[in-house]
Amino acid sequence: MSLKIALAQINFLVGNITANVDNIIKTAIYARDELSADIVVFPELTITGYPAEDLLFRSDFIEVANNAIYQIADGITDVAVVVGFPERDGDNLYNSAAVLYQGVILACYRKQALPNYGVFDEQRYFTAGIQPCVFEFNGIFIGLTICEDVWKNGIIDANKEAGAELLLTLNASPFNAGKIHQREAIICQQVKAASIPLFYVNQIGGQDELIFDGASFVANSQGHIVFRAKEFQEQISVIEFDGNNPLLSSCAPLYKEISSEYNALVLGIKDYVRKNGFQGAILGLSGGIDSALVLALAVDALGHDKVEAVLMPSRFTQDMSNEDAIKQAEILGVKYHVIPITPAVNAFTDMLAEVFAGTAKDTTEENIQARCRGVILMALSNKQGKLLLTTGNKSEMSVGYATLYGDMAGGFAPIKDVPKLLVYQLARYRNSLCEVIPERVITRPPSAELAPDQIDADSLPPYEVLDPILERYVELDESAEEIIAAGFKRDDVVRAINLVDKNEYKRRQSPPGIRITSKAFGRDRRYPITSGYRGI
Amino acid sequence: MSLKIALAQINFLVGNITANVDNIIKTAIYARDELSADIVVFPELTITGYPAEDLLFRSDFIEVANNAIYQIADGITDVAVVVGFPERDGDNLYNSAAVLYQGVILACYRKQALPNYGVFDEQRYFTAGIQPCVFEFNGIFIGLTICEDVWKNGIIDANKEAGAELLLTLNASPFNAGKIHQREAIICQQVKAASIPLFYVNQIGGQDELIFDGASFVANSQGHIVFRAKEFQEQISVIEFDGNNPLLSSCAPLYKEISSEYNALVLGIKDYVRKNGFQGAILGLSGGIDSALVLALAVDALGHDKVEAVLMPSRFTQDMSNEDAIKQAEILGVKYHVIPITPAVNAFTDMLAEVFAGTAKDTTEENIQARCRGVILMALSNKQGKLLLTTGNKSEMSVGYATLYGDMAGGFAPIKDVPKLLVYQLARYRNSLCEVIPERVITRPPSAELAPDQIDADSLPPYEVLDPILERYVELDESAEEIIAAGFKRDDVVRAINLVDKNEYKRRQSPPGIRITSKAFGRDRRYPITSGYRGI
């Protein structure tokens, strides 16, 4: 007895149940007719998309999602369809997977391990299932599991004990650097220990701050990968199970980390723009490395004709900044505008002259410049229906080296979770494919150009020092003393983490950005603004 | 045998363990020496404040919090101290209550019911306890419970079965309108059913969006309230337990709802400013009802000398707006500035003339005006270290009738959770105490004054229609069809909820505000921005 199992690594839109149901039926028909699939397996919570967040509290939404199961069951014959959906049973909601075949629900499994850490809030919505679900299909006993289930000890074993000969796993496992290796390593180890083959299908696509990377795979009972789908792309593939094990199929090679990160950022921009119906994107192009990288990403995501750059020089802007910005816009073939900000800055300076009389110049004046740029960019965004991309990186977001409503103004922050050193690496990586960022942008010292001859290193430790401190403090939750013990200067550590602590209020108002590290600012790291905690 | 039990309804600062420990010891000494207390009971998670959010993931923070228990135990004799703390045990963290007496930990209870809904994320941090904890003190058997425990069936009964003669309950129960009545009704019913007296101590104070209202109380075993502390104020009181029941003590009368709401808003502003170390507050004063109410609240919270108002008329501002704004500033004795925005608006208009050539005027031009005001206000805030208060109400936040980086610019949004009709009620309530808002501000039709002769009713249903629709859709999660069935016009419902759905991106970047309803925008309502769900 053998079985052809299709993994449907599809990009769904959260909340649009009607479109998702159509997509499921269309995909299942394709898998049946073109790939001769017996079963087609979709990702976790297929019908609603993942994560649907508090939409799951809406009874109208849940009702539509539950009815959708019958629509799908009635909508296709001669192939079994395994879909995820939020299953209502009385007052309880379950994160469930249903097997639909010839108009009936053949089996329904309720996820047992509900993650409630990091970016996950599943215990806010769901009740945990309490038992495995093994169903027979074409004489083969198949166990159902959902995402976190196969990361935990015990659930795979329980399926095996319940008679499962193979496991199907529905997933919405978000990307971060290194995650694919971690995912395969942990799950293959479990599979090998239990000696049971596993078919793992992951969602792909961008959803606000999360990127789902796909990379669906099949592991045989020895824990070897015998199939892997591409990262960051939709793919529908069939893998044959011969009664004992899945047969060796195509294995997409894994990207290098830098390439995965770049592709994740491109997909994140593309899906945010597309799924939210924007006409394209605009950004302020300063001649610095951050906006240069965001421009390159945006063009790769949307195409050069959908992206617009705005140069907004001030009297502190060096000529080479303008030259480099124009050069990059021309290389990439994007439309650009040059709008000097001096008239607006002067207007505000005059308007505030009386109330500011007798006060010393400070960051207030720098912020006014940044905010004039924010007003210009938002005006262009509003007028054209284009998404304004902010260009701040994670190092800046950490220490608050950015102006609220100034350079932080915008709808989406693509490199918000990219530390400055990685910004450079990504720029070099992109140029290694073909040069789109002028070399001088990468080699000159970084500066906000908000005051004469200002460079970042005047007010911050060098990024070679700052970034590792921030990684330890923000991502790894290390204490100041631990960081100092690891060899960093006390002064640098104190300065950096004081800034992180004090700038939570700014981050709270920043636009969402793409998560590519193990802990991004956003739903991943929830700190109080009002806080007497000082890391040092 | 009798026992004097002090309830310490204290305002703690989240994260500042050192200050909180000092405060606990000082309070316990006061309760012992001045009130002859045998036991003093503090609120939930006293040592860290509540909610400490992801600070609870920091091992340095948890270590300090656990050590603090011994500092308190060593810091005071001859009175038992009951404090809440995040108890680490191996890899698990518990939301615990320790009884400290004569240098030792007499008992330690682990919270069993961990709320993970609404504003609560306790399952993100804590492992649930599995049993009651009853300890003997002066020959009396006392059960410990924490907040959610006493809202659930079973836990009070289990304490009774374990021999408890009275219950102590440590709480961090946030305010919303009607909550105090709900809290007392539910808990007194439980107490009466189990026939066991209960001492309930609640935190007070503002913490970002949450207000803890205090109103600690004692219920006797018949379910009658025999003591109630004041709302929105610190209070340390002793209640005697005679061996059977608590003796009748003072019962602060409950405020009317409108008065509670007003006081909650005042406390919220006061604590946000104080706990975050601002020099005071500023706001844009338009002559409209929203900013008039925020000014009144701010002055009540901070005093007139800490508040500054800025009038920023444009060519669309009516004379009566300026007159009324100045009149209110003068009534309240707050410093005010008048800074017309025309020069900046003209500068931007000129700067954008070329790129906007051939386009029609739309909301872009309205937004530029609002953003010029944002730049002015933020400049004043930055220069003086004063918190900028935004003045948008919940109706506006719901439908997105506000400009990002314009009138939404600011650090704190006091009336963000106050629907427009309640804004009027609160203004009238405040004026009923003494008139601080010019009558014309309350009676004239609301307008954003961003275009000639504009009034809100041109683009929105009247607030008498809009507010109830929003309450049903946002707070009660009713579907469009349910709202229409309740008697609202389909057109109004469609218009309102489409706007709510489309404006999640704006709300995501809004400053935190004070939660006074059963569901506020913020940690209470977590919606995806990218969403294909349409409520209609």
Side-chain angles (χ1 to χ4, degrees):
Chain A
M1 268 167 310
S2 83
L3 210 54
K4 286 188 166 173
I5 300 173
L7 304 186
Q9 176 174 302
I10 304 282
N11 193 343
F12 290 98
L13 177 54
V14 162
N16 196 336
I17 295 173
T18 308
N20 293 346
V21 166
D22 289 348
N23 200 347
I24 290 165
I25 293 174
K26 191 189 71 186
T27 302
I29 290 172
Y30 167 83
R32 180 193 64 190
D33 296 347
E34 306 297 325
L35 306 176
S36 309
D38 300 302
I39 301 185
V40 49
V41 188
F42 289 89
E44 182 175 12
L45 288 170
T46 329
I47 282 171
T48 58
Y50 188 97
E53 303 188 62
D54 282 8
L55 287 174
L56 295 169
F57 289 145
R58 302 200 67 86
S59 56
D60 54 334
F61 184 73
I62 296 300
E63 191 179 334
V64 174
N66 278 261
N67 291 340
I69 289 298
Y70 299 101
Q71 281 177 263
I72 298 166
D74 292 343
I76 181 151
T77 55
D78 300 322
V79 62
V81 176
V82 185
V83 289
F85 75 112
E87 181 197 359
R88 179 160 51 191
D89 182 7
D91 286 340
N92 292 324
L93 195 66
Y94 298 92
N95 181 341
S96 293
V99 184
L100 312 173
Y101 186 62
Q102 308 301 52
V104 299
I105 300 174
L106 216 57
C108 188
Y109 168 69
R110 294 169 172 175
K111 187 176 183 180
Q112 298 175 75
L114 299 174
N116 206 64
Y117 57 81
V119 300
F120 302 108
D121 283 307
E122 291 196 20
Q123 291 170 31
R124 181 174 171 88
Y125 308 107
F126 299 114
T127 302
I130 51 170
Q131 58 196 14
C133 169
V134 177
F135 67 100
E136 188 184 351
F137 189 75
N138 283 7
I140 295 168
F141 288 87
I142 301 174
L144 292 171
T145 51
I146 301 175
C147 211
E148 188 82 357
D149 285 337
V150 296
W151 293 70
K152 296 275 173 194
N153 291 323
I155 294 177
I156 290 181
D157 291 337
N159 271 278
K160 181 99 192 227
E161 281 161 30
E165 296 167 75
L166 70 85
L167 288 180
L168 304 180
T169 307
L170 290 73
N171 304 274
S173 178
F175 170 80
N176 57 254
K179 179 73 170 285
I180 298 177
H181 292 280
Q182 183 196 17
R183 192 189 287 151
E184 291 187 354
I186 288 178
I187 293 168
C188 287
Q189 192 184 16
Q190 300 257 38
V191 159
K192 186 180 173 189
S195 187
I196 184 167
L198 180 145
F199 291 68
Y200 181 105
V201 59
N202 194 17
Q203 179 174 313
I204 93 123
Q207 171 60 29
D208 290 347
E209 40 186 85
L210 300 182
I211 300 298
F212 298 92
D213 52 326
S216 301
F217 64 91
V218 176
N220 67 19
S221 58
Q222 291 82 45
H224 297 301
I225 303 277
V226 296
F227 165 81
R228 185 189 297 118
K230 287 178 185 158
E231 297 168 58
F232 309 111
Q233 289 180 38
E234 292 195 312
Q235 184 175 333
I236 307 160
S237 299
V238 127
I239 297 91
E240 187 167 356
F241 176 76
D242 71 359
N244 278 309
N245 245 331
L247 302 181
L248 187 61
S249 180
S250 63
C251 284
L254 287 177
Y255 288 136
K256 287 188 178 167
E257 191 162 295
I258 191 78
S259 177
S260 282
E261 289 163 337
Y262 194 89
N263 281 287
L265 296 171
V266 169
L267 178 58
I269 296 171
K270 185 176 176 175
D271 271 8
Y272 195 88
V273 167
R274 181 176 68 85
K275 292 180 176 180
N276 286 295
F278 286 100
Q279 300 303 309
I282 67 162
L283 78 167
L285 193 66
S286 69
I289 183 77
D290 296 316
S291 59
L293 176 62
V294 174
L295 178 60
L297 289 163
V299 170
D300 286 340
L302 308 172
H304 69 99
D305 54 324
K306 295 281 189 197
V307 183
E308 208 168 297
V310 190
L311 282 70
M312 293 167 291
S314 77
R315 61 198 177 97
F316 303 120
T317 306
Q318 296 189 44
D319 289 343
M320 71 168 157
S321 300
N322 290 327
E323 290 160 18
D324 291 346
I326 290 171
K327 187 172 171 192
Q328 190 188 6
E330 286 173 349
I331 293 172
L332 288 169
V334 302
K335 187 171 166 186
Y336 67 91
H337 310 283
V338 182
I339 304 178
I341 60 168
T342 309
V345 173
N346 288 346
F348 283 116
T349 307
D350 291 347
M351 290 156 71
L352 289 162
E354 198 181 315
V355 278
F356 281 6
T359 65
K361 281 212 181 343
D362 55 22
T363 49
T364 305
E365 284 74 15
E366 298 185 12
N367 287 337
I368 289 173
Q369 296 172 55
R371 291 191 181 118
C372 285
R373 294 194 174 104
V375 174
I376 295 284
L377 290 167
M378 284 303 295
L380 285 162
S381 167
N382 288 164
K383 191 63 96 183
Q384 306 184 78
K386 287 186 176 162
L387 174 66
L388 174 55
L389 300 174
T390 66
T391 60
N393 60 61
K394 189 175 194 175
S395 310
E396 288 175 359
M397 285 298 102
S398 301
V399 298
Y401 202 63
T403 300
L404 258 180
Y405 326 130
D407 50 311
M408 287 176 69
F412 200 58
I415 62 169
K416 181 183 179 183
D417 197 37
V418 182
K420 187 79 175 187
L421 295 179
L422 184 54
V423 169
Y424 283 103
Q425 289 166 30
L426 287 164
R428 290 207 177 281
Y429 163 77
R430 181 60 187 82
N431 270 4
S432 76
L433 306 179
C434 67
E435 189 166 312
V436 295
I437 299 172
E439 183 63 16
R440 192 166 61 179
V441 173
I442 302 179
T443 53
R444 63 183 289 208
S447 164
E449 296 196 328
L450 291 168
D453 301 324
Q454 183 181 43
I455 61 166
D456 293 8
D458 295 339
S459 49
L460 293 173
Y463 289 109
E464 289 73 14
V465 173
L466 181 64
D467 277 3
I469 293 174
L470 294 174
E471 184 184 4
R472 286 168 181 271
Y473 189 66
V474 173
E475 282 180 55
L476 307 176
D477 286 329
E478 287 188 12
S479 69
E481 294 308 327
E482 286 173 299
I483 301 170
I484 292 162
F488 294 89
K489 282 191 215 152
R490 181 170 291 271
D491 279 0
D492 288 339
V493 174
V494 169
R495 187 147 54 128
I497 72 179
N498 271 338
L499 288 170
V500 174
D501 290 346
K502 275 171 27 188
N503 282 289
E504 180 58 28
Y505 76 99
K506 276 193 196 177
R507 291 188 290 268
R508 198 64 71 87
Q509 290 189 45
S510 64
I514 301 164
R515 176 179 181 269
I516 64 160
T517 72
S518 62
K519 191 180 283 189
F521 295 118
R523 47 192 296 146
D524 225 0
R525 187 179 189 270
R526 307 175 190 179
Y527 267 58
I529 297 176
T530 304
S531 169
Y533 172 77
R534 289 295 167 261
I536 193 92
Chain B
M1 267 167 313
S2 82
L3 212 55
K4 286 187 164 172
I5 300 173
L7 304 186
Q9 176 174 302
I10 303 283
N11 192 342
F12 290 99
L13 177 55
V14 162
N16 195 334
I17 295 173
T18 309
N20 293 347
V21 167
D22 289 349
N23 200 348
I24 290 164
I25 293 174
K26 192 189 72 185
T27 302
I29 290 172
Y30 167 82
R32 179 193 66 189
D33 296 348
E34 305 297 325
L35 305 177
S36 309
D38 300 303
I39 302 185
V40 50
V41 188
F42 289 88
E44 182 173 13
L45 288 169
T46 330
I47 282 171
T48 57
Y50 188 97
E53 302 188 59
D54 281 8
L55 288 173
L56 295 168
F57 290 145
R58 302 200 68 85
S59 56
D60 55 334
F61 184 73
I62 295 300
E63 191 178 335
V64 174
N66 278 261
N67 291 340
I69 289 298
Y70 299 100
Q71 280 176 263
I72 297 165
D74 292 343
I76 180 151
T77 56
D78 301 323
V79 62
V81 176
V82 185
V83 290
F85 74 113
E87 181 197 359
R88 177 159 54 193
D89 182 8
D91 286 340
N92 292 324
L93 195 67
Y94 297 92
N95 181 342
S96 293
V99 183
L100 312 172
Y101 187 61
Q102 308 301 50
V104 300
I105 300 175
L106 214 59
C108 189
Y109 168 69
R110 293 167 173 177
K111 185 177 184 178
Q112 298 174 74
L114 299 174
N116 206 64
Y117 56 81
V119 300
F120 302 108
D121 283 306
E122 290 197 20
Q123 292 171 30
R124 181 172 170 90
Y125 309 107
F126 300 113
T127 302
I130 51 170
Q131 58 195 15
C133 169
V134 176
F135 67 100
E136 188 184 351
F137 189 74
N138 283 6
I140 295 168
F141 289 86
I142 301 174
L144 292 171
T145 51
I146 301 175
C147 211
E148 190 82 357
D149 285 338
V150 296
W151 292 71
K152 296 272 173 196
N153 292 323
I155 295 177
I156 289 181
D157 290 337
N159 271 277
K160 182 97 192 233
E161 281 161 30
E165 297 167 74
L166 69 87
L167 289 179
L168 304 180
T169 307
L170 291 71
N171 304 273
S173 178
F175 171 79
N176 57 254
K179 180 74 170 285
I180 299 177
H181 292 280
Q182 183 195 18
R183 193 189 285 151
E184 291 187 355
I186 288 176
I187 294 168
C188 286
Q189 192 184 17
Q190 300 257 39
V191 159
K192 186 180 171 187
S195 187
I196 184 167
L198 179 145
F199 292 67
Y200 182 104
V201 58
N202 194 17
Q203 180 174 311
I204 92 122
Q207 170 60 28
D208 291 346
E209 39 186 88
L210 300 182
I211 301 298
F212 297 92
D213 52 325
S216 301
F217 65 91
V218 176
N220 66 19
S221 57
Q222 292 81 44
H224 298 300
I225 303 278
V226 296
F227 165 81
R228 184 189 299 119
K230 287 177 184 158
E231 297 168 58
F232 309 111
Q233 289 181 37
E234 292 195 313
Q235 183 174 334
I236 307 160
S237 300
V238 132
I239 297 90
E240 188 167 354
F241 175 76
D242 71 359
N244 277 309
N245 246 330
L247 302 181
L248 187 60
S249 180
S250 63
C251 284
L254 287 177
Y255 289 136
K256 286 186 178 166
E257 192 164 292
I258 190 79
S259 177
S260 283
E261 289 163 336
Y262 194 89
N263 281 286
L265 296 170
V266 168
L267 178 58
I269 295 171
K270 185 176 176 177
D271 272 9
Y272 195 88
V273 167
R274 181 176 67 85
K275 293 180 175 178
N276 287 294
F278 287 99
Q279 300 303 307
I282 67 161
L283 78 166
L285 193 65
S286 68
I289 185 76
D290 297 316
S291 59
L293 176 63
V294 174
L295 179 61
L297 289 163
V299 170
D300 286 339
L302 308 171
H304 70 98
D305 53 324
K306 296 281 189 195
V307 182
E308 211 169 294
V310 191
L311 282 70
M312 294 167 292
S314 78
R315 61 196 177 97
F316 303 120
T317 307
Q318 297 189 42
D319 289 342
M320 71 167 159
S321 300
N322 289 327
E323 290 160 18
D324 290 345
I326 290 172
K327 188 172 169 193
Q328 189 189 7
E330 286 173 350
I331 293 172
L332 288 168
V334 303
K335 188 173 167 185
Y336 68 91
H337 311 283
V338 182
I339 304 178
I341 58 167
T342 309
V345 173
N346 288 345
F348 284 116
T349 307
D350 291 347
M351 290 157 71
L352 289 162
E354 197 180 316
V355 278
F356 281 5
T359 65
K361 280 212 183 342
D362 56 21
T363 50
T364 305
E365 284 73 16
E366 299 186 12
N367 287 336
I368 289 174
Q369 297 171 56
R371 291 191 180 116
C372 285
R373 295 194 175 104
V375 174
I376 295 282
L377 289 167
M378 284 303 295
L380 286 162
S381 167
N382 289 164
K383 191 62 98 184
Q384 306 182 79
K386 287 186 176 161
L387 174 66
L388 174 55
L389 300 174
T390 66
T391 59
N393 61 61
K394 189 175 194 175
S395 309
E396 287 174 2
M397 286 298 99
S398 300
V399 297
Y401 202 63
T403 301
L404 260 180
Y405 325 131
D407 51 311
M408 287 176 68
F412 200 59
I415 61 168
K416 181 183 179 183
D417 196 37
V418 182
K420 188 79 174 188
L421 295 179
L422 184 55
V423 170
Y424 284 102
Q425 289 166 27
L426 287 164
R428 291 207 177 279
Y429 163 77
R430 181 61 187 81
N431 269 5
S432 75
L433 306 179
C434 67
E435 189 167 313
V436 296
I437 298 173
E439 182 63 17
R440 192 167 58 181
V441 172
I442 302 179
T443 52
R444 63 184 286 207
S447 164
E449 296 196 330
L450 291 168
D453 301 322
Q454 184 180 45
I455 62 166
D456 293 10
D458 295 339
S459 48
L460 293 174
Y463 290 110
E464 288 73 14
V465 173
L466 181 64
D467 277 5
I469 293 174
L470 294 174
E471 185 185 3
R472 286 169 182 271
Y473 189 66
V474 173
E475 283 180 55
L476 307 177
D477 286 329
E478 287 187 12
S479 69
E481 295 307 329
E482 286 173 300
I483 301 170
I484 292 163
F488 293 89
K489 281 189 216 153
R490 181 169 292 270
D491 279 359
D492 289 337
V493 174
V494 169
R495 186 146 56 127
I497 71 180
N498 271 338
L499 288 169
V500 174
D501 290 346
K502 274 170 31 187
N503 282 289
E504 181 57 30
Y505 77 99
K506 277 194 196 176
R507 290 188 290 269
R508 197 66 70 88
Q509 290 191 45
S510 65
I514 302 164
R515 176 180 181 271
I516 64 159
T517 71
S518 62
K519 190 179 284 189
F521 295 118
R523 48 192 294 147
D524 224 0
R525 187 180 190 269
R526 307 176 189 177
Y527 267 59
I529 297 176
T530 303
S531 169
Y533 172 76
R534 290 293 167 261
I536 193 87

